[in-house]
Amino acid sequence: MNPIILAVIIVSATGLVLGLILAIASIIMAVPVDEKAEAIQEVLAGANCGACGYSGCAGYAAALSKGETTECTLCSPGGPDCAAAVAEILGLAAGEMKPMTAVVKCHGTPDKCDNAMNYVGDLSCKTASQLFGGPKACNYGCLGLGDCVKACPYDALSIVDGIAKVDPLACKACKMCIKTCPKGIIELVPLFELKTVNFCMNKDKGNMTSKQCSVGCIGCMKCVKACEFDAIHVEDNKAAVDYDKCTGCGKCVEGCPKHCLELVTLGCEK
């Protein structure tokens, strides 16, 4: 037989055998596709932010598909439309989704809170905070170096007068800034609702806080006594507001001697 023809036959036979082996292997080792999970993932926001409490959009979609959770409203970036789409796929009621926005709970601008030292180094809040808590006199104040700004996928944060500020209407409540802030001073607050917000997270005793910042909460309890709805308590030497109980009456704000409590309707003009 012609050597060339023989070589072609051998190569063809080898290719056929290998092809059959690969076909059989693909059937045996095939990973089952969860079509419902894929459909859910397509309607999610795709931010992979973890705000839902799962390992990204795929994790949340898988949990919904398997019935591990029936909460259709956990995708904050997707909003009500996303919740409705997920509920339709699952044949469930979407439920009410309360809009939220992130808030940087610090008003310690340079004119209200001095620096304890000059910081020269990497312009990162995380890095600066590792050096005695950062340059600010208040160890709980915003350092204003922009880690949260860089972390936000929706361009909802900016640095204004040395403090990070959130645009409530641009914020999707994805919690990326909350996870990034080394000071832990960013919190989710109801959107379009009149609520009292304490713009101070200082946990030191009142006399020390007053030395650090002119608008620092001193835990004086006046707001607690003024509130008729049990919506505010002093925890760790600072006032903490229960937004579910707060009616926005403003009596706590009127009695605050340090003006760290503010009555705001985030997302609307004051």
Side-chain angles (χ1 to χ4, degrees):
M1 182 180 290
N2 190 312
I4 295 177
I5 296 176
L6 179 61
V8 170
I9 292 173
I10 293 173
V11 171
S12 300
T14 303
L16 179 61
V17 171
L18 291 175
L20 287 171
I21 292 173
L22 289 173
I24 294 170
S26 65
I27 294 172
I28 295 174
M29 302 177 66
V31 178
V33 176
D34 189 336
E35 295 182 358
K36 184 184 290 185
E38 287 190 343
I40 293 171
Q41 189 171 349
E42 286 181 5
V43 301
L44 295 177
N48 285 313
C49 57
C52 56
Y54 293 89
S55 57
C57 297
Y60 181 36
L64 286 166
S65 176
K66 294 175 183 177
E68 295 175 1
T69 180
T70 57
E71 293 286 339
C72 303
T73 58
L74 299 182
C75 183
S76 299
D81 292 340
C82 172
V86 171
E88 184 178 354
I89 293 171
L90 296 174
L92 300 172
E96 183 181 359
M97 190 172 188
K98 179 182 289 188
M100 305 286 284
T101 182
V103 169
V104 180
K105 300 184 70 178
C106 177
H107 277 177
T109 51
D111 60 316
K112 297 181 178 68
C113 182
D114 293 330
N115 282 346
M117 61 180 176
N118 292 324
Y119 172 73
V120 178
D122 183 24
L123 296 180
S124 162
C125 299
K126 183 178 180 180
T127 303
S129 66
Q130 293 174 355
L131 183 64
F132 304 107
K136 225 166 190 178
C138 173
N139 280 332
Y140 302 90
C142 176
L143 296 175
L145 296 178
D147 288 18
C148 55
V149 176
K150 298 170 187 174
C152 180
Y154 302 102
D155 196 29
L157 285 108
S158 58
I159 303 299
V160 180
D161 198 11
I163 297 290
K165 299 290 183 183
V166 180
D167 179 350
L169 295 180
C171 178
K172 302 296 183 182
C174 70
K175 299 183 182 179
M176 293 297 287
C177 58
I178 294 176
K179 296 175 183 177
T180 301
C181 178
K183 296 294 185 177
I185 59 172
I186 306 179
E187 184 180 273
L188 291 184
V189 174
L191 194 62
F192 307 125
E193 295 182 24
L194 189 63
K195 299 291 181 182
T196 292
V197 176
N198 182 8
F199 285 94
C200 178
M201 292 290 282
N202 195 311
K203 298 178 183 179
D204 293 332
K205 291 184 178 180
N207 59 344
M208 184 175 293
T209 301
S210 293
K211 295 176 182 178
Q212 297 167 356
C213 181
S214 63
V215 289
C217 180
I218 57 175
C220 65
M221 301 286 289
K222 289 185 177 181
C223 54
V224 177
K225 296 173 183 176
C227 182
E228 300 175 1
F229 304 97
D230 192 39
I232 189 164
H233 297 89
V234 171
E235 302 172 359
D236 294 326
N237 297 314
K238 61 179 176 60
V241 181
D242 184 335
Y243 300 120
D244 291 330
K245 292 182 179 179
C246 179
T247 63
C249 69
K251 290 185 179 180
C252 58
V253 175
E254 294 172 3
C256 179
K258 303 298 288 186
H259 307 294
C260 57
L261 297 181
E262 288 191 16
L263 195 59
V264 295
T265 308
L266 296 167
C268 301
E269 293 182 358
K270 292 184 181 180

